[in-house]
């Protein structure tokens, strides 16, 4: 090979390496530029992680095109924008939603919401998603959810048709009945025994509606309480001779007392139909409801719901230390069984009118 040929070959080899390096740099630069571009309005959010540099295939094989990401629902978009999910809780709805000695929310409904949040973190690819607890009283439940002040209300809320005009409900997770709690030895066994006496009820619950329907006939005086704790305080301080509320909540309130044996739950249920508890969600966001329902259905299928029930209903209630010893009713067990297969049957159950808290 001649001297000129050797020089030419060296130049070409160096040029080839230069062209290869230049091409790789340009492709990498283009990839970074595209990743940094903000997503087009109305399109799903794009990942900003740069893909490995590859030469584009020609012609493109559309049969292996990636499936586009599912767009956020309106509620999920708000959650993503603020980086937090707002969860409502109650101060004293033992054992579903209440606070411990450090004023931190706890209870069965709160535990369910934590598992829903974990599911949302995975689906939204937001492991850093934070929870902001928001204290709610019964009267403000609907307005706060409707006004986007909370994303999920984690409390024992009964599914009713009237509430369904303002909010949506998850799959139901518990069944209860409105009854009376009295002090031992009072002789009161039903609302018929309350003539001339005082009955405490929490304002904004459907227990209020039930006792109001009997008020004129039975002749008792109604004392309206702001929340569960105030209603029970009326009974403890003998300002009221009875308290009307859901039986499982009455059991929870009794467990918070220093003398739980001083109180009895008496009489038949005040309604013919049991109440179904559900998480309260924003209305007109079926996509968000579907994701919450899917998380709950997974809990029902796994058997974790039974474990949570034993933890909060059949053991000592923190921080009070008294044991509830409440077994799930047959109707509650049916809700868990049908909740494993969310569909039309369960949607009908979740939207059926009933009366309760």
């Amino acid at each position: 090979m001649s001297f000129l040929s050797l020089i030419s070959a060296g130049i070409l080899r160096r040029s080839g390496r230069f062209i290869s390096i230049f091409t790789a740099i340009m492709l990498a630069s283009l990839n970074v530029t595209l990743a940094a571009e903000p997503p087009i309005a109305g399109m799903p959010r794009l990942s900003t992680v740069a893909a490995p540099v590859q030469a584009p295939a020609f012609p493109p094989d559309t049969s292996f095109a990636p499936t586009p990401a599912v767009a956020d629902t309106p509620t999920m978009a708000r959650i993503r924008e603020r980086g937090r999910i707002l969860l409502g809780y109650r101060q004293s709805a033992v054992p579903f939603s209440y606070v411990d000695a450090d004023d931190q929310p706890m209870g069965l409904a709160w535990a369910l919401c934590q598992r829903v949040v974990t599911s949302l973190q995975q689906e939204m690819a937001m492991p850093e998603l934070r929870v902001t607890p928001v204290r709610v009283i019964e009267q403000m439940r609907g307005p706060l959810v409707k006004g986007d002040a909370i994303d999920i209300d984690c409390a024992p809320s009964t599914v009713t048709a009237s509430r369904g005009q303002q909010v949506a409900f998850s799959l139901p997770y518990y069944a209860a009945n409105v009854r009376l709690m009295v002090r031992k030895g009072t002789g009161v066994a039903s609302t018929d025994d309350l003539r001339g006496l005082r009955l405490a009820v929490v304002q904004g619950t459907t227990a209020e509606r039930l006792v109001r329907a009997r008020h004129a006939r039975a002749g008792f005086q109604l004392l309206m309480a702001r929340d569960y704790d105030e209603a029970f305080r009326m009974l403890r301080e003998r300002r009221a001779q009875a308290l009307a509320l859901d039986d499982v909540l009455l059991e929870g309130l009794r467990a918070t007392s220093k003398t739980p044996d001083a109180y009895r739950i008496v009489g038949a249920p005040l309604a013919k139909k049991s109440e179904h508890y559900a998480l309260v969600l924003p209305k007109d966001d079926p996509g968000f409801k579907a994701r919450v329902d899917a998380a709950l259905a997974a809990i029902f299928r796994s058997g974790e719901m039974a474990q949570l029930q034993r933890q909060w209903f059949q053991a000592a209630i923190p921080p009070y230390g008294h044991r509830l010893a409440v077994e799930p009713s047959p109707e509650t067990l049916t809700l868990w069984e049908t909740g494993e297969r969310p569909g039309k049957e369960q949607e009908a159950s979740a939207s059926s009118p009933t009366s309760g808290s």
Side-chain angles (χ1 to χ4, degrees):
M1 182 179 291
S2 68
F3 179 70
L4 290 176
S5 298
L6 290 172
I7 293 176
S8 300
I11 292 173
L12 287 174
R13 281 196 295 271
R14 286 193 294 272
S15 299
R17 285 196 297 272
F18 174 80
I19 293 171
S20 298
I21 294 170
F22 177 77
T23 302
I25 292 173
M26 290 302 295
L27 286 173
S29 175
L30 176 61
N31 185 66
V32 171
T33 302
L34 290 175
E37 288 293 324
I40 301 173
M43 295 297 289
R45 181 180 297 269
L46 302 177
S47 172
T48 58
V49 179
V53 177
Q54 293 180 348
F58 183 84
D61 186 356
T62 57
S63 63
F64 294 95
T67 302
V70 177
D72 287 346
T73 72
T75 304
M76 292 168 66
R78 289 193 298 271
I79 293 171
R80 187 183 297 279
E81 182 179 3
R82 71 169 89 96
R84 304 177 285 131
I85 184 168
L86 309 178
L87 301 182
Y89 71 94
R90 301 293 184 276
Q91 188 76 10
S92 55
V94 181
F96 291 95
S97 184
Y98 66 106
V99 296
D100 62 14
D102 297 321
D103 210 34
Q104 296 300 309
M106 61 194 314
L108 175 65
W110 185 257
L112 290 178
C113 278
Q114 301 311 299
R115 284 151 178 80
V116 170
V117 170
T118 299
S119 177
L120 291 173
Q121 285 175 322
Q122 295 172 352
E123 178 160 353
M124 300 173 68
M126 293 184 66
E128 76 286 357
L129 179 64
R130 293 174 294 133
V131 170
T132 298
V134 180
R135 182 181 174 184
V136 177
I137 60 175
E138 299 304 314
Q139 304 91 311
M140 294 303 296
R141 165 179 40 205
L144 287 176
V145 174
K146 189 176 180 180
D148 302 332
I150 54 177
D151 300 310
I152 306 176
D153 188 31
C154 312
S157 297
T158 303
V159 178
T160 68
S162 59
R163 290 173 183 168
Q165 296 175 3
Q166 283 192 317
V167 299
F169 295 98
S170 72
L171 293 175
Y173 64 86
Y174 220 85
N177 292 283
V178 175
R179 296 177 64 190
L180 298 180
M181 184 161 70
V182 300
R183 281 183 167 274
K184 272 187 177 179
T186 60
V188 173
S190 71
T191 53
D192 294 333
D193 300 323
L194 286 172
R195 181 171 296 275
L197 302 179
R198 294 182 293 275
L199 173 64
V201 67
V202 179
Q203 185 178 4
T205 64
T206 47
E208 176 192 356
R209 183 180 62 79
L210 287 173
V211 296
R212 282 192 182 279
R214 301 170 179 237
H215 179 221
R217 176 177 57 82
F220 51 78
Q221 179 183 350
L222 272 178
L223 296 183
M224 305 305 299
R226 187 171 180 266
D227 55 26
Y228 303 122
D229 190 52
E230 183 180 13
F232 188 40
R233 188 162 58 249
M234 291 176 176
L235 182 63
R236 287 200 315 266
E237 297 174 355
R238 303 178 188 273
R239 287 182 284 157
Q241 284 70 50
L243 166 59
L245 194 59
D246 309 348
D247 49 8
V248 68
L249 292 175
L250 291 175
E251 291 282 8
L253 287 173
R254 181 166 65 175
T256 67
S257 170
K258 295 179 179 179
T259 56
D261 293 337
Y263 304 94
R264 296 173 56 238
I265 298 173
V266 300
L270 300 188
K272 295 179 180 179
K273 189 174 182 179
S274 297
E275 308 170 358
H276 290 175
Y277 291 165
L279 305 178
V280 178
L281 313 170
K283 194 173 176 61
D284 300 326
D285 193 346
F288 185 66
K289 170 179 162 53
R291 287 160 172 80
V292 173
D293 285 351
L296 292 178
I299 295 171
F300 297 151
R301 281 194 302 271
S302 68
E304 188 178 8
M305 190 68 195
Q307 297 174 8
L308 289 172
Q309 199 277 344
R310 287 192 295 271
Q311 176 184 348
W312 294 104
F313 291 76
Q314 301 179 49
I317 293 296
Y320 305 101
H322 297 304
R323 186 170 177 267
L324 279 186
V326 175
E327 297 282 345
S329 67
E331 189 168 0
T332 295
L333 294 175
T334 299
L335 288 178
W336 298 349
E337 182 180 351
T338 55
E340 297 176 5
R341 307 179 302 276
K344 291 183 179 179
E345 177 185 357
Q346 200 66 17
E347 289 172 5
S349 173
S351 60
S352 60
T354 184
S355 49
S357 302

